[in-house]
Amino acid sequence: MGRRSRKRKPSAARPPAGPPDKNAALSERYARSRARDDEARAALEPLADGERPGAVTVAAIVAIVMAVANVAAAVAGEALGSQATSFTVLSTMILLACAAGMWFGARYWAVLGFMMVLVFQILSLSFALIRVRHWWGALIILVVLGLLGWIFFRLIRALARIQMPQRP
């Protein structure tokens, strides 16, 4: 007979079989995570009136440069169809709105919107690495990816400070 098919006799000296309580370990990890989050929130200082973090200023300038480059690329392109023109106008308006919102008052929606633009730009450049033909083209794309990733990372803390309510 197999081991599983036999019934075991209960023994008072033997501890209960099975792994330790998983819920207790999980709740301990959540408690440590909550403590780290609370500590990080306590270290943040809310923005003063009219204050704009340096990362938001850099992001506003990058958004303007991207909008100008977008228009220049559309004008320099040979095939300007109605769909390409409407996409260029729409993306340029989004970039300019984000730049204005970040420059004049560091608005939460503007920083979050620009971060979404950065995500799409990072993804499209990552896919562009697949079709690179020269090593220097890959190097340029990797440098741009690094800079966009750095801006995105720096905007995370700035976004936390922007959304932070004023303390009494």
Side-chain angles (χ1 to χ4, degrees), residues 3-139:
R3 216 177 204 191
R4 291 180 176 233
S5 62
R6 279 186 282 162
K7 291 187 178 182
R8 294 185 182 202
K9 294 180 183 178
S11 173
R14 190 170 43 186
D21 188 19
K22 288 185 179 183
N23 289 335
L26 196 59
S27 63
E28 181 183 328
R29 281 190 237 148
Y30 282 133
R32 284 192 311 240
S33 177
R34 274 187 241 114
R36 280 194 308 262
D37 290 344
D38 292 339
E39 184 180 311
R41 282 188 194 99
L44 288 175
E45 297 177 14
L47 291 177
D49 290 334
E51 182 183 1
R52 182 177 56 236
V56 175
T57 304
V58 170
I61 293 169
V62 168
I64 291 171
V65 168
M66 287 172 72
V68 169
N70 198 9
V71 171
V75 170
E78 294 181 20
L80 283 178
S82 63
Q83 188 176 10
T85 304
S86 62
F87 178 75
T88 300
V89 169
L90 179 66
S91 61
T92 303
M93 299 237 337
I94 290 172
L95 285 169
L96 290 176
C98 287
M102 287 186 289
W103 191 262
F104 300 109
R107 302 285 181 223
Y108 182 81
W109 59 265
V111 176
L112 189 62
F114 186 67
M115 287 176 77
M116 292 303 299
V117 169
L118 284 179
V119 166
F120 288 125
Q121 191 67 39
I122 288 170
L123 286 175
S124 65
L125 285 174
S126 298
F127 289 133
L129 276 175
I130 296 171
R131 301 187 54 90
V132 171
R133 296 176 191 229
H134 302 287
W135 66 269
W136 49 268
L139 184 65

Side-chain angles (χ1 to χ4, degrees), residues 62 66 118 121-122 125-126 137-151:
V62 168
M66 287 172 72
L118 284 179
Q121 191 67 39
I122 288 170
L125 285 174
S126 298
L139 184 65
I140 291 171
I141 290 175
L142 287 174
V143 167
V144 171
L145 277 172
L147 291 173
L148 293 179
W150 179 80
I151 291 171

